[in-house]
Every structure is written in C-alpha cells, then in structure tokens.
Amino acid sequence: MNNPRFKYPDTKAYNFVVQRLQDRGVNLDDLAQIVYDTQKKFEPELTLEFCQTALVDALHKRELLNNAMVALELDRLTQEGKVEEPLASIIKNDVGVFGVDETLALQIANIYGTIGTTNFGFFDREKNGIIARFDRDGIHVNTFIDDLLAAIVAAVCGKIAHQYA
Ligand code: MG
C-alpha cells in the first residue's frame, strides 16, 4: 500500500549506495577517473574535479539510487544464500538470457538521455578500470554490480556530453 506520508530518504539512500560501493572496493574517485579518461578526448578543457562533481550530482538522483540499491542488494542476498532457487543459480551463474541486471542498469544509464545507452554498451564491452575487477572475480556474486558501475559511468558521461553540447 502506498503511504503518501512517507518521505523519500534521499540522504540515507545516497549514503547506502556510496557505502556499499566502498565495501565492494569501489571509490567514487575510481568512477570519476573513468569518466574523465573517456570524456577528455571530446572535451579537452574537462577537469577531473568537474567529473567528480557530476558523479556526485548523478548519485543524488532517485532514479539512480532506486535501481542501484536493488542491484546491490540482489548481489548481496544471492551471495549470502538468501535468494531461493532457481533464481539464485541464475544470478550466481550470470546467465546470458537473464538480462535483469542490464535492464536495471540501462534505466540508470538513460537518466540524462539516450546517449547513455550507447555509453553503457561501450563500458559494458570495454570493462574499463575498476569494472574489470568484477568481471574477473570468480568468488563473489558480481552479476549486478558490474552493470551498475558501467551504467553510472555511462550516465555521468552523458550528463557531461550534454553540458558541453
Ligand atoms: Mg551482469
């Protein structure tokens, strides 16, 4: 039941996502660096500080926070054995026909327009910087986090591209 008096916990959601990323070994600076390295080819005056600010702005958007929390929690719950079969095995084995990880991520990639879709495809393939670590790690459940990181970086690149257009 929808409770009209519930106030969306913006700060808690932001802190949750940033903290969980940190617990998983991802610092915001790692993500800002990927954005900078990618976008400086197109915008020579771009600075790393500008990318860091754009990233923090994007991370305050509810559309991003909602999907990020669901993605991060599904990896954790699966890792801890709290998801039932057959879903648990589907997630653990990062099955190609699953696609929910990509769907959640694409909504994030698109928050600054459809340019994010193209960017997401690029980062999903290239596995830049910190994203590559999750692609190679065979011990933890990383089915959602790798797409999530690619999507966040893609969204911020889209935001910057629009600002410079
Ligand atoms: Mg995935």
Side-chain angles (χ1 to χ4, degrees):
M1 183 194 73
N2 170 256
N3 176 3
R5 279 176 302 183
F6 178 79
K7 166 99 178 63
Y8 190 92
D10 289 284
T11 307
K12 282 183 184 163
Y14 173 82
N15 290 340
F16 176 92
V17 169
V18 172
Q19 184 60 53
R20 180 63 63 80
L21 289 177
Q22 225 151 60
D23 295 346
R24 304 279 342 249
V26 181
N27 292 307
L28 296 194
D29 285 349
D30 301 326
L31 300 179
Q33 187 69 48
I34 301 173
V35 173
Y36 176 69
D37 291 341
T38 309
Q39 291 303 113
K40 72 172 181 223
K41 300 193 265 290
F42 309 110
E43 292 104 18
E45 319 97 275
L46 189 68
T47 63
L48 181 59
E49 292 70 35
F50 191 89
C51 297
Q52 287 164 332
T53 307
L55 172 66
V56 171
D57 275 3
L59 281 169
H60 278 89
K61 287 190 94 68
R62 291 171 180 174
E63 299 97 311
L64 187 155
L65 293 171
N66 289 333
N67 289 31
M69 287 189 289
V70 172
L72 291 165
E73 278 294 89
L74 280 167
D75 272 349
R76 179 185 70 83
L77 291 167
T78 306
Q79 178 78 46
E80 293 177 2
K82 291 173 179 158
V83 172
E84 294 199 1
E85 293 297 349
L87 181 59
S89 292
I90 294 169
I91 295 176
K92 266 186 220 154
N93 291 289
D94 204 354
V95 175
V97 294
F98 180 54
V100 179
D101 45 347
E102 270 123 35
T103 306
L104 276 178
L106 270 170
Q107 273 191 333
I108 289 177
N110 284 331
I111 57 177
Y112 296 107
T114 50
I115 191 171
T117 309
T118 318
N119 289 338
F120 175 71
F122 173 76
F123 290 118
D124 195 37
R125 194 161 317 204
E126 296 288 309
K127 313 276 184 205
N128 305 51
I130 190 100
I131 304 171
R133 183 201 297 175
F134 295 98
D135 205 43
R136 288 192 305 258
D137 166 17
I139 300 160
H140 300 98
V141 176
N142 301 319
T143 298
F144 286 87
I145 196 170
D146 61 340
D147 297 280
L148 171 65
L149 298 178
I152 293 172
V153 170
V156 178
C157 286
K159 178 179 164 67
I160 289 172
H162 281 291
Q163 280 169 319
Y164 276 84

